[in-house]
Amino acid sequence: MRTDRNRCAHPTFLKNSLPFTPSAESARLHIRNALALVLTQPPKQGKAALESLQALVLSPYFPTEIPDAVARLKGSELQSARAPLIMGFVDLICFGWPDSNSPLHTKAAALVALLAIVELHRKEALPRLILNVNKLLMHTEEWPVELGCSLAIRLAEVGEKVYEPGRPIVRKWLVAPSKGAKRARVVQKALFIGWLRDDAEAAILQLKAEDFGDVIDQIPPEMATAAAKLYSSAKTWDEANNYASRFAIKYASWFSERDLDLIFAEVAAGRNDLPGSHGYREFLAALAAQDESKCAGVAALLESHGLEGVNIKQEPIENARSALT
């Protein structure tokens, strides 16, 4: 349509020196397409479009999961939006969420929509988000800084582009994130940002049992090792069961051979109260649920520490009892 329009608006002479003349059928087709695709559609730019998108995000039916939110935004003005509307939508959320006078203030759906628009229109949305995050970090109020730090750590592509003046602010927030933030998840994300990695590794050492329990997938090796050290240090029956239920059982498949070696060494030396806890037997059962090669490695470690005679693949709980009595 655009090519034929240009040929008609700016006379183009063909090889036979005659001006381009579309057929009547082509003209009717273009008129139909112009009506269907452009003239009968509501405005897609400007204030009205942003108000419509804001209402969409504030709807109680707006999805809470990012993939679903992407699908929903595809059915809105953002499906075929140009860069100005996309950037305007990013601005609307970035500066509306921390504004106490905005309907979007602290709305979880707004953050889901923001992450969704980055997925949907990454080329236009991501650079704008990086720019906005750096602006937010320069604020002195709590909410803008909170959002800036959260987005910088949540999206490594954004975090890597934080300007030097904003980096000390993100580092401080990493040590003491907001009450609503899951501290271990924040640290987990921070490990993937080059300039923040050392701070993240230091923050891991400050995590508690309840923090480790908040991370249940894609456990970084550094976090698994710290969790293994904490689990192996349980001095009481209550501590042993608490650690097992909160994180050790969940981390079973993420512990390395070195992590397990540490745990079993402390058990064999009698420096913890794991053997007396039912949580430890459940931990062994979780190890037994892994594939045969890993189970063989666990059995070898147990045997190397004098906890021999354990065939945890067949009857993990009963055999764990026999090994520890």
Side-chain angles (χ1 to χ4, degrees):
M1 182 189 294
R2 179 174 296 176
T3 300
D4 282 358
R5 178 265 173 201
N6 290 339
R7 287 175 177 174
C8 294
H10 310 286
T12 301
F13 292 92
L14 305 179
K15 291 182 179 180
N16 57 9
S17 299
L18 295 176
F20 172 73
T21 304
S23 66
E25 183 179 355
S26 294
R28 285 192 292 269
L29 177 62
H30 289 330
I31 291 173
R32 178 191 178 282
N33 287 337
L35 287 169
L37 301 177
V38 181
L39 299 178
T40 60
Q41 299 299 314
K44 295 182 180 294
Q45 304 293 335
K47 184 178 179 181
L50 290 175
E51 289 177 350
S52 174
L53 290 169
Q54 177 173 281
L56 172 65
V57 172
L58 293 174
S59 166
Y61 304 105
F62 190 77
T64 57
E65 300 296 329
I66 295 175
D68 294 335
V70 170
R72 182 64 188 89
L73 292 181
K74 284 182 178 179
S76 71
E77 293 89 340
L78 290 170
Q79 167 61 26
S80 56
R82 294 185 179 181
L85 179 59
I86 296 169
M87 293 188 293
F89 185 61
V90 173
D91 292 348
L92 178 71
I93 297 177
C94 284
F95 301 112
W97 191 91
D99 184 358
S100 58
N101 296 317
S102 170
L104 296 172
H105 182 51
T106 68
K107 292 292 190 296
L111 298 184
V112 173
L114 182 60
L115 297 174
I117 191 61
V118 172
E119 290 294 319
L120 183 59
H121 291 293
R122 181 171 294 270
K123 180 180 177 181
E124 297 84 4
L126 186 60
R128 190 69 169 193
L129 181 59
I130 291 171
L131 178 65
N132 288 347
V133 164
N134 280 287
K135 290 180 180 179
L136 291 168
L137 292 175
M138 293 298 99
H139 278 254
T140 56
E141 296 84 4
E142 178 182 359
W143 286 115
V145 173
E146 175 82 17
L147 180 59
C149 291
S150 177
L151 290 172
I153 292 179
R154 172 68 182 264
L155 299 172
E157 294 168 291
V158 176
E160 291 289 359
K161 299 293 184 179
V162 170
Y163 304 152
E164 286 294 337
R167 293 186 177 186
I169 298 168
V170 178
R171 287 191 176 100
K172 185 172 183 179
W173 189 82
L174 175 65
V175 176
S178 62
K179 292 182 179 179
K182 300 293 186 181
R183 191 178 182 192
R185 294 185 186 180
V186 170
V187 174
Q188 179 188 25
K189 296 287 186 181
L191 286 168
F192 295 96
I193 300 174
W195 61 268
L196 197 56
R197 183 176 178 83
D198 289 345
D199 300 270
E201 290 179 350
I204 288 176
L205 302 179
Q206 306 303 318
L207 296 178
K208 300 178 181 179
E210 55 269 26
D211 297 320
F212 284 114
D214 289 330
V215 181
I216 58 175
D217 60 349
Q218 299 299 318
I219 312 297
E222 301 87 349
M223 192 169 288
T225 297
K229 290 179 180 178
L230 181 60
Y231 184 47
S232 66
S233 70
K235 301 300 182 184
T236 67
W237 184 87
D238 285 336
E239 267 191 352
N241 285 321
N242 180 42
Y243 293 171
S245 63
R246 283 189 177 274
F247 64 87
I249 294 172
K250 298 175 184 177
Y251 281 39
S253 62
W254 296 97
F255 284 135
S256 67
E257 182 177 336
R258 179 178 295 182
D259 297 332
L260 294 174
D261 185 59
L262 169 65
I263 294 171
F264 295 147
E266 294 298 294
V267 170
R271 286 191 286 266
N272 57 42
D273 198 29
L274 296 186
S277 67
H278 61 78
Y280 181 64
R281 295 193 293 273
E282 293 174 1
F283 172 65
L284 290 180
L287 293 175
Q290 302 178 86
D291 61 59
E292 291 187 11
S293 62
K294 290 185 177 180
C295 285
V298 172
L301 281 174
L302 286 166
E303 185 175 357
S304 71
H305 289 291
L307 303 173
E308 66 277 6
V310 180
N311 184 355
I312 63 172
K313 184 62 180 178
Q314 294 178 0
E315 295 180 285
I317 294 181
E318 289 302 319
N319 285 321
R321 288 197 184 100
S322 65
L324 301 172
T325 55

